[in-house]
Amino acid sequence: MTDIGDTQELRSEARAALSEALHEIKRMIVGQDAMLERLLVSLLAGGHVLLEGVPGLAKTLTVKTLAAVLGGSYSRIQFTPDLVPADLVGTRVYRPDTGAFETELGPVFCNFLLADEINRAPAKVQSALLEVMQEQQVTIGGTTYEVPLPFIVMATQNPIESEGTYPLPEAQVDRFLMKILVDYPSAGEEAAVVGRSLHEPAVVQERLALGDLRRYATAAETVLVDRETIGYAVALADATRHPAAYGLKEITPMVEFGASPRGPIGLVQAARVLALLRGRGHVVSDDVRDLAADVLRHRIVLSYDALSEGVTADELLERVLAAVQEPGTGDLMHEAPAIVRAR
């Protein structure tokens, strides 16, 4: 049995090392602190990430910098409508000089895969990516090849373009642990970005090895989660499926389908990592609450009524978070704020 002191020491080491890695990434990336923290959380929780934001918000640079600091291999795939599955996973190639077929592995065989503008690829390509995301392996010519671990897909999509795009299937979207909305930087942060563009870009240093990441993921697994906190995560997901049971009858027509069971599972796993980064050996409801929108927003299928009125999943989640009782807060539910509809 692992000694309690050794476990606490490992958690302290993990927090210090991850904080140092985060500081090194920030030498290249200005602002976007919430996005960087959630990328680390997803990495240690073993989940994939969908980044959504307009062009120019350093999504691609962030993933490349993350790979450089954490010491893993990195590949970038620019998704286009003419892409085929072999461009991702690889294929068998005939060699005339030997008269035999050889397997050439594709760019998915890496630790950090950036799927840039993932919604521009057709369904067959997205299906091939879905297999490797879920199974962490690829089958070519009847032979199965495992991708290196850790393996994380960080996909980006542009929310303002719809021409020439293919909406991601719900089954694939559900495989992403988080959907992170990347917003514009503040005026001060943008001024810092412009100032840095006038000089040579910073050269980031490798701060962690892949072996360290595996050890720190093990440290996150030692973070305790009590029954009440698990119940809170489950209740948040359940409230998206049965809003009326939580006093939210008015939003029932706005939800076609609520979050799947992967929602609370991922929420608790991510909360353990966040608690580790915050220096605690146990999860509190604030950890779950802070990550709820990122883990659940893409798992809610809005109805036509919600779409026609401009209601977003985040607005519904605000209502859910306000209505679901947190552990230790008494019997009364919070008053739910009114939904702000887009004009």
Side-chain angles (χ1 to χ4, degrees), residues 5-341:
D6 293 340
T7 300
Q8 293 175 342
E9 183 178 349
L10 178 59
R11 286 201 293 255
S12 298
E13 177 191 339
R15 184 192 181 198
L18 293 169
S19 296
E20 183 180 354
L22 196 58
H23 178 74
E24 185 70 15
I25 296 172
K26 290 179 181 179
R27 293 182 58 235
M28 179 69 73
I29 307 299
V30 178
Q32 310 296 1
D33 290 352
M35 175 182 69
L36 296 177
E37 181 185 61
R38 280 150 178 74
L39 286 176
L40 277 183
V41 167
S42 297
L43 178 61
L44 292 184
H48 308 291
V49 180
L50 182 61
L51 301 172
E52 184 175 286
V54 299
L57 297 182
K59 299 186 296 294
T60 302
L61 179 61
T62 296
V63 178
K64 186 176 181 180
T65 304
L66 183 69
V69 172
L70 301 184
S73 56
Y74 162 79
S75 292
R76 175 181 180 269
I77 305 174
Q78 180 65 52
F79 280 53
T80 56
D82 61 347
L83 212 63
V84 296
D87 294 329
L88 271 69
V89 302
T91 187
R92 301 184 70 199
V93 178
Y94 180 73
R95 303 293 185 189
D97 53 338
T98 62
F101 284 91
E102 293 183 5
T103 300
E104 288 193 357
L105 301 180
V108 298
F109 288 86
C110 63
N111 297 116
F112 303 95
L113 176 66
L114 174 61
D116 220 350
E117 295 189 289
I118 186 174
N119 54 333
R120 288 195 176 278
K124 284 186 177 180
V125 175
Q126 294 176 0
S127 177
L129 182 62
L130 175 61
E131 178 190 0
V132 70
M133 286 173 60
Q134 183 68 19
E135 308 295 337
Q136 297 181 335
Q137 65 183 30
V138 167
T139 302
I140 303 174
T143 303
T144 299
Y145 303 87
E146 295 185 354
V147 297
L149 299 178
F151 174 74
I152 181 172
V153 175
M154 303 181 190
T156 70
Q157 62 179 6
N158 181 350
I160 62 176
E161 291 187 32
S162 57
E163 186 175 351
T165 62
Y166 300 81
L168 299 182
E170 298 301 332
Q172 182 172 353
V173 172
D174 198 38
R175 258 66 174 192
F176 288 97
L177 173 62
M178 293 188 191
K179 177 181 179 180
I180 303 173
L181 303 183
V182 187
D183 204 354
Y184 289 107
S186 66
E189 292 169 345
E190 192 164 0
V193 171
V194 175
R196 289 190 182 187
S197 70
L198 303 177
H199 308 283
E200 289 292 326
V203 179
V204 296
Q205 303 294 323
E206 181 180 323
R207 296 298 182 185
L208 293 178
L210 295 181
D212 295 326
L213 289 177
R214 286 189 285 268
R215 289 178 61 241
Y216 300 154
T218 302
E221 293 173 357
T222 68
V223 175
L224 302 178
V225 190
D226 59 38
R227 280 181 170 272
E228 287 188 347
T229 304
I230 293 175
Y232 178 54
V234 171
L236 290 175
D238 188 60
T240 66
R241 307 167 197 151
H242 310 104
Y246 296 82
L248 297 172
K249 184 177 180 180
E250 67 278 8
I251 73 171
T252 300
M254 301 180 184
V255 180
E256 192 74 27
F257 297 101
S260 74
R262 286 196 184 96
I265 292 173
L267 187 52
V268 171
Q269 290 176 341
R272 294 171 84 180
V273 180
L274 187 60
L276 175 70
L277 294 178
R278 292 175 172 177
R280 279 185 276 99
H282 64 282
V283 176
V284 297
S285 59
D286 284 348
D287 300 322
V288 174
R289 186 181 183 87
D290 291 347
L291 294 172
D294 298 295
V295 177
L296 299 179
R297 64 163 57 97
H298 56 297
R299 306 180 195 276
I300 298 175
V301 180
L302 300 177
S303 67
Y304 177 78
D305 291 342
L307 295 174
S308 64
E309 295 183 26
V311 176
T312 66
D314 280 26
E315 291 170 347
L316 298 182
L317 283 171
E318 286 182 10
R319 299 290 302 272
V320 167
L321 286 167
V324 175
Q325 176 185 330
E326 291 187 46
T329 57
D331 297 330
L332 296 179
M333 294 187 296
H334 301 286
E335 182 180 354
I339 293 179
V340 179
R341 293 180 172 81

